[in-house]
Amino acid sequence: MGPKKAAATGKRKAEEAAEGEHHEEEGVATSPSKKAAASPAAASESKRTRRGAAAAAPAPVPTRTSARKAKTDAKAKVSKAAAADDDDEEEEDGDTGGAAQPATKKRAAAPKKKDDADYDDDEGDADDGDGAASAAAGAAKKLTKALAANDVLPASLPVANLHDGTTADLNEISKTHGIVIFVYPKANTPGCTNQACGYRDSHDEFAQRGFKVFGLSADSPKSLTTWKEKYNLPYSFISDKERVFLKAFGVNKSATQVHRSHIVIAKGGKVLHIKKGVSAKPSAAEALELI
């Protein structure tokens, strides 16, 4: 073989060898089926390996420094929680003016039941701003029970308001005169008019015996004045809108009712007679028989 042919043959073999290596590399690189088949198994094996390593890893041993840090962190959490509670309490105090409110309230005491013998001044039917009426109610606080026969008019008995805007002091009047008071439910009604006219017709006889006559009710001064003028009634009327005298003599029946009565007081202030539930027409005649 000549030198040229030997060289050509060697070159060809070298190219064939190089081409074979190239095909082997391409076969390895382009075998997706083998790579795909190997990938899931490898991934699963890798996960099992990592879990096993994590499970097998020993827990860290606490050191003195880590224990101190944990204790400090716990104290900080407690302090923070306490501060939050204090803030909540301050907010609640602020809502109630800084003072704790009672959980329950005491039930208001029920008002005591009154009867005709009790004498208080807390049941005024009307308040027209009259200073004298207010003063009378205040003075009447000293009286706790109704007057009865043989009692003497107390010094604390207030002055009475009359129909014409003036006043009458029964204690002062009793120093020089006896007193007859007739009590009626309502001015200018038929029965009360019969009673009032009976005292009108007997007025001179009462005066001759040294007695002054007064009518007594809770009517207003205006209605009493109209009634007085209509029937020419010669005596004065006590306008007891706050029922001070009605209670003092025990003739107040309720907040709107009274006992038709007559009261006789001797000169000197001694109560001779208090009769409740009388009839309208004979009231004046019966009172005359007692003096």
Side-chain angles (χ1 to χ4, degrees), residues 39 74 104 196:
S39 295
T104 58

Side-chain angles (χ1 to χ4, degrees), residues 156-167:
S156 60
L157 189 70
V159 295
N161 297 310
L162 301 182
H163 68 278
D164 58 0
T166 62
T167 60

Side-chain angles (χ1 to χ4, degrees), residues 32 55 63 71 87 121 125 129-130 139 156-158 162 165 167 176 180 184 197 213 216 233 267 272:
T63 63
K71 186 176 182 180
D87 291 340
D121 69 323
D125 288 346
D130 193 327
S156 60
L157 189 70
L162 301 182
T167 60
T176 56
V180 172
Y184 52 92
C197 289
V213 176
L216 172 62
L233 304 175
K267 180 180 176 180
L272 297 180

Side-chain angles (χ1 to χ4, degrees), residues 82-269:
D85 290 341
D86 291 341
D87 291 340
D88 291 342
E89 290 178 0
E90 289 177 0
E91 289 179 1
E92 290 175 0
D93 288 344
D95 293 339
T96 57
Q101 298 299 312
T104 58
K105 296 181 179 180
K106 293 183 178 180
R107 181 176 296 178
K112 68 176 184 177
K113 185 177 181 181
K114 297 185 178 73
D115 56 34
D116 291 338
D118 290 336
Y119 176 51
D120 298 322
D121 69 323
D122 58 351
E123 289 185 2
D125 288 346
D127 184 6
D128 58 358
D130 193 327
S134 299
K141 289 181 179 180
K142 297 180 181 179
L143 297 174
T144 58
K145 290 186 177 181
L147 295 169
N150 297 318
D151 287 341
V152 177
L153 294 179
S156 60
L157 189 70
V159 295
N161 297 310
L162 301 182
H163 68 278
D164 58 0
T166 62
T167 60
D169 188 337
L170 299 185
N171 273 301
E172 285 297 319
I173 294 172
S174 67
K175 292 178 180 179
T176 56
H177 294 81
I179 301 171
V180 172
I181 301 173
F182 69 95
V183 183
Y184 52 92
K186 184 72 175 177
N188 209 16
T189 56
C192 297
T193 298
N194 286 334
Q195 185 180 12
C197 289
Y199 283 93
R200 178 198 62 189
D201 297 341
S202 302
H203 184 259
D204 289 345
E205 194 167 354
F206 280 112
Q208 290 173 5
R209 300 186 186 187
F211 281 79
K212 287 186 173 292
V213 176
F214 291 91
L216 172 62
S217 73
D219 291 307
S220 68
K222 182 178 179 180
S223 63
L224 292 172
T225 300
T226 300
W227 192 34
K228 176 180 171 66
E229 293 174 352
K230 181 178 180 179
Y231 291 98
N232 194 27
L233 304 175
Y235 40 78
S236 295
F237 288 95
I238 298 174
S239 176
D240 191 20
K241 296 177 69 175
E242 296 189 7
R243 298 177 178 262
V244 172
F245 290 89
L246 293 170
K247 293 178 181 180
F249 291 109
V251 294
N252 190 62
K253 190 174 183 180
S254 70
T256 58
Q257 296 178 313
V258 300
H259 296 284
R260 191 186 303 277
S261 314
H262 52 250
I263 303 160
V264 179
I265 302 170
K267 180 180 176 180

